[in-house]
Amino acid sequence: MAWTGQYSGEEPVRVNKWLAQSGVCSRREAEGLIAGGLVQIDGEVVTDAGRKILPGQTLVLSDDATRRLDSAMTVLLNKPMGYVSGQPEPGKIPAARLLTATAQLGDGPLPSSRDSLPPVGRLDEDSRGLLILSTDGVVAKAVIGPDADLPKTYQVWVRGTLTDSKIARLRFGLSLDGRALKRAEVEQLGPLCLRFVLREGRNRQIRRMCEMLDLRVMDLWRTHIGPLSLEDLPEGRWRHLTPAERTALISGAGR
């Protein structure tokens, strides 16, 4: 079914930007649809990737365009330790291999090729918890785009001596690779258990932060990405992202 939208802004805006801001598709996906002749404005086929839509004009995506976008897939996986989120080195097992029919929770199609469903962000081999895999460009931008600001929540068990001064430094004041880290939310949940909420994703960030303060991470469990949580998703199982969750994820990124 074709998608129709009327532009209500006050100033002209590029078609690909407006579609991305509306959560319809990513800018790159919009450019692909334009190149395929699948976009019309007030009945005229758009052929220029730089075309702007004017206030009051109506844009229509053809049936082929919406079918192409609807084929995009996003799943949530509760990744166990021992699986890598990205491209594996020899001898390593990618987390996408867990996307089997027997491990699925709920309804929805299986990925046509598990290895072609890329992770959105990373979760190290020795970490566990919530991992998003998606071919949806809008979802990817919301989670790991340059302007993404979604909080990601972790429970972390450490070995070492926890003090108020160390927790204060974990919250703010540390640098990695010559760049200051954004302020983090860090709360002590137990004698050696911490809750981290981060708004950035530097390489092995929590582990490296803790090492700088003589704390060794023994277990790292990601429980939330923005409004998404593991809830009742058992370890090693996966399910499809719902339309409501997609909307919440994109809206959260916008805030």
Side-chain angles (χ1 to χ4, degrees):
M1 181 177 180
W3 180 90
T4 300
Q6 185 178 53
Y7 177 54
S8 59
E10 297 180 355
E11 300 291 336
V13 65
R14 287 178 62 135
V15 168
N16 61 354
K17 182 177 180 180
W18 181 56
L19 288 173
Q21 290 174 337
S22 302
V24 176
C25 60
S26 68
R27 293 193 189 194
R28 181 172 296 179
E29 288 167 335
E31 291 167 1
L33 297 178
I34 292 171
L38 305 178
V39 181
Q40 293 186 9
I41 293 179
D42 287 350
E44 175 194 353
V45 175
V46 177
T47 58
D48 178 10
R51 171 74 176 270
K52 293 185 176 181
I53 187 169
L54 305 179
Q57 288 189 321
T58 298
L59 183 144
V60 176
L61 299 181
S62 70
D63 290 343
D64 286 345
T66 53
R67 276 194 292 269
R68 183 184 300 185
L69 295 176
D70 288 343
S71 67
M73 180 180 291
T74 301
V75 305
L76 308 181
L77 169 68
N78 188 345
K79 185 188 88 68
M81 287 190 288
Y83 293 82
V84 296
S85 55
Q87 186 65 30
E89 299 176 358
K92 303 294 185 180
I93 306 174
R97 296 287 175 85
L98 294 168
L99 305 181
T100 63
T102 54
Q104 183 176 4
L105 200 66
D107 299 322
L110 291 174
S112 57
S113 172
R114 285 175 286 162
D115 291 343
S116 66
L117 196 62
V120 178
R122 59 182 295 137
L123 191 62
D124 296 321
E125 180 181 7
D126 47 0
S127 301
R128 60 192 177 98
L130 183 57
L131 179 66
I132 300 174
L133 300 100
S134 180
T135 55
D136 186 328
V138 177
V139 168
K141 180 183 177 183
V143 179
I144 59 173
D147 299 323
D149 192 42
L150 286 175
K152 301 175 182 67
T153 305
Y154 306 80
Q155 285 190 30
V156 182
W157 289 263
V158 299
R159 178 181 294 170
T161 303
L162 272 176
T163 64
D164 290 344
S165 61
K166 287 184 179 181
I167 293 174
R169 290 202 66 200
L170 288 171
R171 289 175 179 148
F172 187 68
L174 297 178
S175 297
L176 290 178
D177 304 320
R179 288 192 295 135
L181 294 171
K182 293 181 180 180
R183 187 176 296 275
E185 297 176 33
V186 183
E187 175 188 2
Q188 187 168 357
L189 301 180
L192 293 173
C193 181
L194 297 168
R195 176 178 175 269
F196 281 76
V197 180
L198 304 181
R199 291 183 178 271
E200 60 184 332
R202 309 273 281 275
N203 184 33
R204 297 180 69 83
Q205 179 174 336
I206 292 176
R207 295 179 187 276
R208 295 167 68 193
M209 290 169 68
C210 289
E211 287 170 2
M212 295 171 70
L213 300 175
D214 297 319
L215 299 171
R216 182 183 176 191
V217 173
M218 306 305 295
D219 187 15
L220 189 152
W221 180 40
R222 184 160 67 196
T223 60
H224 293 75
I225 298 176
L228 306 180
S229 69
L230 288 173
E231 294 189 59
D232 298 325
L233 188 63
E235 189 168 270
R237 304 290 295 276
W238 68 277
R239 66 172 178 83
H240 283 273
L241 186 77
T242 68
E245 287 174 329
R246 183 182 185 274
T247 298
L249 189 68
I250 295 167
S251 299
R255 288 193 299 271

